[in-house]
Amino acid sequence: MQTKEFKIKWGMVIDIDKCTGCGACMVGCQVENNIAPMTKKDPYNYVQALTKDRDDASNKLKTLTWMTVYELSNGQAFPEHETAYLPRPCMQCGNPACVPVCPVIATDKNEEGGIVSQIYPRCIGCRYCMAACPYHARYFNWWDPLWPEGMDKGLSPAVSVRPRGVVEKCNFCHSRYLDAKDKARMDGEDPMNLADGAYNTACADICPTKAITFGDLNNPEHAVHDLAKSPHAFRLLEKLGLAPQVYYMSEREWVRKQGDNYNAGGGGH
Amino acid sequence: MDSKLFPEGVQRCSFGKFLIWTAVILGFFTWGLYAAVLVLYNGIGTTGLDNYFGFGAWITFDLAVIALGAGAFFTGLLKYILKIKQLEKIINLTVVVGFICYSGAMLVLTLDIGQPGRAWFGYWHPNVHSMLTEVIFCITCYCTVLIIEFVPLVLEQKQLNKIPFIHALAHNMHVNMALFAGIGAFLSTFHQGSLGGMYGVLIGRPFAFREGFFIWPWTFFLFVLSAVGSGPVFTVLVATFMEKLTGKKLVDFKTKALMGKIAGTMLCVYMFFKILDTWAWATGYLPSVGLTFDDMFYGLVYGKWLMFSEIVLCGVVPAIMLIVPAIRNRPGLLYTAAILDCIGVSLNRYIFTVQTIAFPAMPFDSWQVYVPNWVEYASSIMIIAYGFLVLSLVYRYLPLFPQERELN
């Protein structure tokens, strides 16, 4: 198992103690990335004999949500009971479980920035990457995307709309990265050395409590560089060796333990 | 009515009876076809699969039939390469069963991938690191080899074989069949292995992840061994089932017992390594990632009973039954052992597919229960119906069993 390293390593630090579980990050992600809402009836399904009602948003196991907020509990009875919320984007692993398994190289981690990409027109929809990812960060398009009347006018032109039958995932709002690099070029700055905040993801942007911080983990001028090294920082399933580029922070030990990193607080990074 | 087409010197049921039988099969087939069209028209959302269970009944079905179809390559290897002459009495059937299993699996895969039109991307943009790429290459190549192995049997049809060119072609194909048996054995070994490797390399899934030898995790070798330990007896079961249906003796018991002995020997080797592997996984790998053996099981649906049924009741028990001549040589016990063996390998494929991804790898996640819906059942039944149809036609019109005349 070898972790892929890059000069620039975009990463995220999510402060669980600041997260209120409001779900704004989920909504921001949906809007930014043209994720279709789940619609039960499909008016374009012309062969009525073969038409079947689709799942609506109540079926959480078939919805598309690149960012999901998990509720954690310390398992104690009231009044010791505590909860916490853990937003989960794609972990953009340094040693991704999903990349080596894809038979057609539809997913890869080779571009500067260490973001795990997904090439939708190449994906054959075998879902092997979904079986491989323990974070459930990959989503399959079970149904054709369908936007309610009028909502299609709000689609972002920078993000491709995915067809049915392909796997999709969080890509750290990659179109924003391209925009930030273009802006840097126009301003005569180095696109390979973006200032902290020049490129930010939609979820980090929208978070009302600023629980999500985004930046280059390798750049000491970016806030995430130091935050990821905090004694309270941990990564999910560290022991499996996937080396995620998303870090979490909590001062509460029970939260850190649920991240499966028993070295947290002991200078594990 | 169609008696002129029958193989030389054998009896078959009336054409009317055959039509009724075919119509029943076609009934099941049509039901499955409706489900398949529903999937292709609406999308895979029509199935019971979801974001948690990207793999489910179809993949289990695929893996199970491919393991059970292993009789084709393994018997071919023994017959043509190691020259075990006795096996020529059942070799035709193993080829047909192998062909049905592999082509059936490919039909299911067409439904199972979200973009069937892009299936060829596996050749066009192959990822050499992916076990699934190896699967795609091997399954298509081996399916082609099975077609090549099947063709001489078709050419030997009584009326076709009267044409001198076809007669000569069939003869020449037979002469060169050892070559295809060799290629087939190589391809299928890698195919069975890479199916196991698919699970063994899942570094994020502690239930299936295994260390290994060179680039292959142990599951690579375990899948090959379990397939050759069950494929031959599956062919025996198919032959016996056909005997019960037709009321005729088709294969002598000596050949069946030999197939049982071959499968039994391989099953013993498999069980030895499977038990070692399970032990090493439970006491070595799992503690290294902070998990215990008990963590891997949940309630009744994913309980330990599944694993113990697979390893003990459907593994060790049939292995002993098949390896002891006194038990193996009694028809009832041979068939019982064969049934247990086939259930065992299917259970193994189910556990590796479903339990692997049902296990909540994240500590705050929870076990999910997967229930396939009728669309998945019906399309799988369509493949079984397809198998019945091919086998019925082959039995009626082609010289499938060389011993049929002398045994009846």
Side-chain angles (χ1 to χ4, degrees), chain B residues 250-272:
Chain B
L250 302 172
V251 180
D252 63 339
F253 187 73
K254 206 175 143 202
T255 307
K256 288 182 184 175
L258 176 63
M259 294 286 271
K261 184 180 172 184
I262 292 164
T265 311
M266 300 317 293
L267 192 60
C268 285
V269 178
Y270 167 61
M271 287 324 299
F272 174 74

Side-chain angles (χ1 to χ4, degrees), chain B residues 50-119:
Chain B
D50 54 40
N51 289 326
Y52 209 97
F53 293 99
F55 287 178
W58 280 338
I59 296 289
T60 306
F61 181 80
D62 262 354
L63 295 174
V65 295
I66 283 174
L68 297 173
F73 89 84
F74 196 57
T75 314
L77 177 84
L78 298 175
K79 154 82 175 66
Y80 291 107
I81 313 289
L82 299 183
K83 312 275 187 204
I84 302 180
K85 201 162 164 47
Q86 173 90 21
L87 295 174
E88 72 186 9
K89 285 151 188 160
I90 203 166
I91 192 77
N92 288 347
L93 180 66
T94 63
V95 168
V96 175
V97 170
F99 168 78
I100 292 168
C101 289
Y102 270 74
S103 55
M106 287 184 78
L107 285 172
V108 172
L109 284 176
T110 313
L111 296 177
D112 199 10
I113 61 171
Q115 294 281 339
R118 297 179 188 170

Side-chain angles (χ1 to χ4, degrees), chain A residues 55-145:
Chain A
D55 296 281
D56 61 19
S58 63
N59 184 352
K60 300 297 177 200
L61 289 172
K62 277 194 180 169
T63 50
L64 292 163
T65 42
W66 295 1
M67 172 67 118
T68 297
V69 178
Y70 284 88
E71 184 181 346
L72 312 185
S73 162
N74 69 345
Q76 308 270 337
F78 179 82
E80 275 79 39
H81 184 239
E82 275 185 55
T83 53
Y85 295 95
L86 184 139
R88 195 251 39 225
C90 169
M91 298 287 127
Q92 317 290 354
C93 306
N95 178 32
C98 53
V99 167
V101 301
C102 176
V104 293
I105 328 180
T107 186
D108 202 7
K109 189 184 175 71
N110 62 359
E111 66 187 278
E112 199 54 56
I115 298 170
V116 177
S117 59
Q118 178 73 5
I119 309 166
Y120 309 120
R122 193 186 280 182
C123 174
I124 61 171
C126 70
R127 304 186 294 285
Y128 192 14
C129 55
M130 289 170 66
C133 177
Y135 304 108
H136 304 296
R138 290 182 158 263
Y139 293 88
F140 187 69
N141 272 275
W142 300 101
W143 306 101
D144 282 312

Side-chain angles (χ1 to χ4, degrees), chain A residues 27 39 79 94 105 107 118-119 138-139 167 173 195 245 257 260:
Chain A
V27 177
T39 313
I105 328 180
T107 186
Q118 178 73 5
I119 309 166
R138 290 182 158 263
Y139 293 88
V167 173
C173 297
Q245 283 169 214
K257 280 203 161 179
D260 209 13

Side-chain angles (χ1 to χ4, degrees), chain A residues 1 45-47 49-50 52 55 61-63 70 72 86 95 97 99-105 120-128 130-136 139-140 142-143 163-166 236-237 239-240 242 258, chain B residues 34 37-47 49-52 54-55 112-115 118 121-122 125-127 129-133 136 197-199 201-206 209 285 289 357 361-365 368:
Chain A
M1 283 187 245
N45 207 340
Y46 298 109
V47 185
L50 294 173
K52 201 173 172 292
D55 296 281
L61 289 172
K62 277 194 180 169
T63 50
Y70 284 88
L72 312 185
L86 184 139
N95 178 32
V99 167
V101 301
C102 176
V104 293
I105 328 180
Y120 309 120
R122 193 186 280 182
C123 174
I124 61 171
C126 70
R127 304 186 294 285
Y128 192 14
M130 289 170 66
C133 177
Y135 304 108
H136 304 296
Y139 293 88
F140 187 69
W142 300 101
W143 306 101
R164 167 183 106 194
V166 302
L236 288 181
L237 303 179
K239 289 189 173 182
L240 297 183
L242 307 180
Q258 291 208 11
Chain B
Y34 171 64
V37 172
L38 203 63
V39 169
L40 294 172
Y41 185 72
N42 285 283
I44 304 179
T46 42
T47 65
L49 296 165
D50 54 40
N51 289 326
Y52 209 97
F55 287 178
D112 199 10
I113 61 171
Q115 294 281 339
R118 297 179 188 170
F121 282 17
H125 311 285
N127 175 11
H129 303 290
S130 174
M131 285 285 168
L132 191 52
T133 304
I136 293 171
M198 270 182 70
Y199 293 100
V201 297
L202 296 178
I203 50 176
R205 299 290 185 179
F209 182 71
Y285 174 70
V289 289
I357 44 181
M362 289 191 287
F364 46 84
D365 218 340
Q368 297 288 327

Side-chain angles (χ1 to χ4, degrees), chain A residues 180-195 198:
Chain A
K181 284 198 287 189
D182 283 347
K183 187 171 184 306
R185 285 188 196 99
M186 282 190 286
D187 295 346
E189 292 161 10
D190 180 7
M192 298 308 281
N193 189 20
L194 296 175

Side-chain angles (χ1 to χ4, degrees), chain B residues 66-68 70-71 73-74 188-197 217-233 261-277 310 314-315 319 322 341 344-345 348-349:
Chain B
I66 283 174
L68 297 173
F73 89 84
F74 196 57
S188 189
T189 305
F190 269 83
H191 175 50
Q192 301 283 356
S194 45
L195 284 174
W218 297 128
T219 45
F220 182 98
F221 306 99
L222 293 174
F223 267 51
V224 178
L225 284 173
S226 59
V228 295
S230 57
V233 283
K261 184 180 172 184
I262 292 164
T265 311
M266 300 317 293
L267 192 60
C268 285
V269 178
Y270 167 61
M271 287 324 299
F272 174 74
F273 285 111
K274 173 71 183 171
I275 291 167
L276 268 186
D277 165 76
E310 176 213 331
C314 301
L322 290 171
D341 187 356
V345 77
N348 173 266
R349 301 317 194 241

